[in-house]
Amino acid sequence: MMAAGRAAELGKKVVLLEKNKKPGRKLVITGKGRCNLTNAEFDLRNLVLNYGKNGQFLFHAFHNFGPKQVIDFFNKWGLETKIERGKRVFPVSDDANDVLKIFVKYLLKGKVQIVYGAEVIDIERKKHHINKLILKEGEVVARNYIICTGGKSYPATGSSGDGYEWAKKLGHKIEDLRPALVPIRIRENWVGELQGLSLKNVEATILQDNKKQTSVFGECLFTHFGLSGPIILDVSGKVGELLKNGAVELALDLKPALDFETLDERLQKDFQKYNNKLFQNSLDDLLPQKMIPIIVKFSGIDPFKKVSYVTKEERHGLVRLLKNLKMTVAGLLDFESAIVTVGGVSLKEIDDKTMKSRIVDNLFFAGEIIDVAGPSGGFNLQICWSTGYLAGENA
């Protein structure tokens, strides 16, 4: 929609082929229906760091149409926005449908012709040039073509990975596709006992061969199959990468704000306070109720022992457990549960200044189909707006 709207704004005749019967099906479910439309990180050098090793590719797109311009665009078209924790930008209404309405207005103003239920079944090409698109019903001939079909995540919304097949057929290399921003399956059964428990201000560390690979701080959620929540989604891409090389462990620090000594002192105070209580009843001030039986079990301390009899060694073991609750990663959920797709059309084959293919002379790419993805927090929609705007402008 951004690519079509921008090309039309510059006076071109534009046809938008939409496989679904209505536009923006994926857009309206983003941010749990609130649409976290960008991240207000206005320093572009800091912004690209959020996209890992491929982030530099986006620098020109962000320079041309970055978070500030995106917020201005929506404001200009009548959408009020607000900035929340972590610089996340939302519509004031907290309704993703209001973001979609802006695009519908944008496309109408540019007289973009939208063809719904349009399925591309073939792309006719001569040498380095696309001649036409063959649809299930009819065909489309154009001067330039932009593929912005999204990835493979949430295929129920229509993004079933068609664009990758077309790009491949046109001679482009597709980097390995993996689900990202996706919950993690855990091997240990005890995790399921904590289903529904949300932990705030914890730190998750990812390990391979006992070496720390990455760590994130924030909120996580226990599910029947493992872990979800913001910090888990953010490390899932890295976990997917590491799983190709072998086993991966995840360790939770339940009290990252306290170092070993401080947490030990805190425990001693709690134990003094509950001096005559059994160990299993002494952790109410420290942990959520649902978590206590698990920690008691793993501590190896007799649950019926009075806390006044808990030894220093046992207490230190408990501190270590609270700072390093380990579990084994069984894998990631699949594309149906993923927010984004990692991988896609190789960046070496796209001009970062224009989004034009380096292989087909009248082809452009925009959005998730490109091999670049960011963490949660509005970063992935920013890729869509920036690359869409640039592709529309140059096509």
Side-chain angles (χ1 to χ4, degrees):
M1 290 185 290
M2 181 60 91
R6 180 58 180 155
E9 191 178 5
L10 295 173
K12 297 299 169 187
K13 188 181 175 191
V14 183
V15 173
L16 175 56
L17 303 174
E18 171 56 72
K19 187 165 75 169
N20 292 319
K21 293 200 165 41
K22 56 183 181 181
R25 276 188 66 188
K26 201 169 187 176
L27 181 65
V28 297
I29 61 168
T30 60
K32 296 178 181 166
R34 292 175 64 214
C35 189
N36 179 187
L37 52 92
T38 185
N39 190 284
E41 175 53 81
F42 299 137
D43 183 321
L44 299 188
R45 280 181 180 77
N46 286 340
L47 181 63
V48 297
L49 294 176
N50 290 282
Y51 298 91
K53 64 183 193 302
N54 289 350
Q56 205 54 41
F57 175 85
L58 295 166
F59 195 86
H60 183 81
F62 289 161
H63 181 72
N64 190 59
F65 194 71
K68 189 171 189 322
Q69 290 89 342
V70 165
I71 294 167
D72 290 346
F73 168 85
F74 284 113
N75 294 166
K76 185 186 97 177
W77 279 89
L79 184 81
E80 287 185 70
T81 53
K82 59 181 176 178
I83 299 173
E84 295 188 1
R85 184 173 51 83
K87 299 184 182 178
R88 295 175 305 158
V89 181
F90 289 92
V92 165
S93 64
D94 285 329
D95 188 351
N97 286 294
D98 291 339
V99 179
L100 177 57
K101 282 173 193 166
I102 297 297
F103 278 108
V104 172
K105 271 200 284 187
Y106 189 41
L107 296 173
L108 275 172
K109 178 91 189 286
K111 298 186 172 61
V112 173
Q113 184 190 343
I114 308 175
V115 183
Y116 294 109
E119 262 190 78
V120 175
I121 53 169
D122 200 10
I123 299 176
E124 196 178 281
R125 169 193 172 187
K126 274 194 184 162
K127 291 188 179 173
H128 303 297
H129 196 86
I130 295 173
N131 278 357
K132 61 180 169 186
L133 304 181
I134 314 292
L135 306 183
K136 211 170 185 179
E137 293 172 19
E139 57 186 45
V140 174
V141 178
R143 181 180 293 170
N144 288 314
Y145 301 83
I146 310 173
I147 299 181
C148 17
T149 48
K152 289 184 76 168
S153 54
Y154 291 142
T157 62
S159 58
S160 46
D162 301 344
Y164 300 122
E165 295 306 314
W166 305 337
K168 206 169 167 182
K169 192 181 171 191
L170 291 165
H172 276 278
K173 183 188 179 195
I174 306 299
E175 303 292 352
D176 285 353
L177 303 173
R178 299 192 313 276
L181 294 186
V182 64
I184 293 175
R185 286 188 292 113
I186 297 295
R187 209 172 291 288
E188 288 80 4
N189 292 331
W190 60 263
V191 172
E193 294 171 38
L194 299 176
Q195 181 179 351
L197 175 65
S198 179
L199 297 177
K200 287 181 179 170
N201 305 322
V202 294
E203 186 173 46
T205 299
I206 304 301
L207 304 131
Q208 190 162 55
D209 301 326
N210 284 321
K211 286 183 190 150
K212 176 180 167 177
Q213 302 296 321
T214 188
S215 64
V216 278
F217 174 84
E219 188 179 341
C220 79
L221 172 74
F222 285 92
T223 66
H224 65 286
F225 56 78
L227 289 166
S228 188
I231 61 172
I232 300 302
L233 298 182
D234 280 347
V235 294
S236 61
K238 181 72 176 171
V239 168
E241 220 174 280
L242 293 168
L243 282 168
K244 292 191 284 189
N245 308 321
V248 176
E249 284 184 308
L250 188 150
L252 279 183
D253 183 345
L254 302 175
K255 298 291 170 187
L258 307 177
D259 62 18
F260 187 95
E261 289 73 21
T262 315
L263 183 53
D264 189 36
E265 284 168 21
R266 164 77 199 274
L267 267 177
Q268 288 178 66
K269 280 180 192 164
D270 284 359
F271 284 1
Q272 280 166 0
K273 181 179 173 183
Y274 297 115
N275 198 18
N276 289 315
K277 286 201 170 187
L278 303 178
F279 171 58
Q280 65 178 8
N281 300 326
S282 69
L283 300 174
D284 292 20
D285 293 354
L286 195 68
L287 295 167
Q289 204 60 45
K290 210 169 187 176
M291 188 131 219
I292 292 172
I294 299 288
I295 294 299
V296 167
K297 182 179 163 188
F298 289 155
S299 72
I301 303 169
D302 181 354
F304 301 107
K305 183 188 269 196
K306 279 195 173 179
V307 285
S308 50
Y309 291 103
V310 171
T311 66
K312 183 181 175 181
E313 286 71 25
E314 286 175 325
R315 196 182 69 242
H316 282 180
L318 176 59
V319 174
R320 282 192 289 275
L321 176 64
L322 294 169
K323 298 288 288 174
N324 189 27
L325 179 61
K326 273 191 175 178
M327 49 205 93
T328 319
V329 173
L332 303 177
L333 263 61
D334 59 18
F335 284 109
E336 288 183 17
S337 308
I339 295 173
V340 296
T341 307
V342 168
V345 179
S346 171
L347 301 183
K348 290 173 187 164
E349 299 171 354
I350 303 169
D351 181 349
D352 66 319
K353 304 287 189 295
T354 60
M355 294 297 133
K356 188 176 179 179
S357 163
R358 295 187 189 276
I359 291 172
V360 181
D361 58 23
N362 61 341
L363 173 64
F364 296 76
F365 293 100
E368 198 181 342
I369 190 167
I370 297 169
D371 178 26
V372 62
S376 59
F379 296 102
N380 289 292
L381 277 179
Q382 182 61 52
I383 297 175
C384 294
W385 315 140
S386 296
T387 58
Y389 193 87
L390 199 57
E393 196 164 84
N394 287 286

